[in-house]
């Protein structure tokens, strides 16, 4: 499942609100073009037409790769000072962001092992790491068949 909306974002520099496409959930198989935008640091990137400010919109993003079977949840770092966010985590830093969103029978087992990140750069690096890891494993399996 992917979730994207057009939202008004207030520029942190000049205060003018502008509409932009915001991704809250991205499924890499359903929206490969959005994954490419993520890898190019273009996803959820805010551009102010008034003052020229550019920066990532401070919104959560759940990344899902069904093929490689992993989830990554991005939280804007500014949210960690919010007790509402901290209260959602266990002492072991575990959280179920799919809780209540997806029926239990439709939830893949790997969804319970979600990786959490607090910057968009960290999200991109983790996705690249998982892509490279999968390529390496596929290459090793291929060599073993020869």
């Amino acid at each position: 499942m992917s979730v994207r909306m057009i939202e008004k974002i207030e520029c942190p520099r000049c205060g003018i609100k502008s509409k932009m496409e915001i991704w809250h959930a991205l499924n890499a198989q359903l929206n490969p073009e959005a994954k490419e935008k993520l890898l190019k640091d273009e996803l959820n990137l805010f551009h102010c037409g008034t003052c020229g400010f550019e920066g990532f919109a401070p919104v959560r993003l759940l990344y899902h790769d069904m093929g490689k079977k992993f989830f990554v949840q991005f939280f804007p770092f500014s949210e960690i000072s919010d007790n509402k966010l901290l209260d959602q985590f266990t002492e072991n830093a575990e959280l179920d962001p799919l809780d209540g969103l997806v029926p239990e029978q439709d939830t893949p087992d790997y969804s319970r092992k979600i990786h959490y990140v607090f910057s968009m750069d960290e999200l991109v690096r983790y996705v690249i790491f998982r892509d490279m890891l999968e390529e390496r494993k596929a290459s090793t399996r291929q060599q073993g068949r020869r």
Side-chain angles (χ1 to χ4, degrees), residues 20-33:
M20 70 173 283
E21 179 181 65
I22 298 287
W23 288 80
H24 295 279
L26 189 165
N27 182 309
Q29 280 65 43
L30 299 178
N31 300 98
E33 73 288 349

Side-chain angles (χ1 to χ4, degrees), residues 7 9 20 22-24 44 56-62 73-76 79 120:
E7 298 181 23
I9 302 292
M20 70 173 283
I22 298 287
W23 288 80
H24 295 279
N44 290 351
F56 290 107
V59 295
R60 296 178 184 188
L61 174 62
L62 180 66
Q73 174 68 59
F74 162 69
F75 292 101
E79 287 190 26
M120 288 296 283

Side-chain angles (χ1 to χ4, degrees), residues 44-112:
N44 290 351
L45 186 63
F46 174 77
H47 301 276
C48 181
T50 303
C51 72
F53 174 84
E54 186 174 278
F56 290 107
V59 295
R60 296 178 184 188
L61 174 62
L62 180 66
Y63 180 90
H64 180 199
D65 191 312
M66 294 185 304
K68 296 176 183 85
K69 297 183 179 182
F70 74 93
F71 281 91
V72 184
Q73 174 68 59
F74 162 69
F75 292 101
F77 190 70
S78 59
E79 287 190 26
I80 69 163
S81 60
D82 182 351
N83 285 332
K84 289 179 187 176
L85 173 68
L86 295 175
D87 289 344
Q88 295 174 34
F89 283 88
T90 68
E91 291 176 7
N92 295 324
E94 295 170 343
L95 169 72
D96 185 2
L98 302 180
D99 189 31
L101 295 177
V102 180
E104 187 70 33
Q105 68 273 14
D106 295 337
T107 306
D109 289 339
Y110 62 89
S111 71
R112 301 294 173 217

Side-chain angles (χ1 to χ4, degrees), residues 133-146:
L133 185 61
E134 184 67 24
E135 287 173 22
R136 174 77 175 136
K137 287 183 177 187
S139 174
T140 302
R141 283 191 298 267
Q142 199 69 326
Q143 289 175 357
R145 293 183 184 147
R146 293 181 188 164

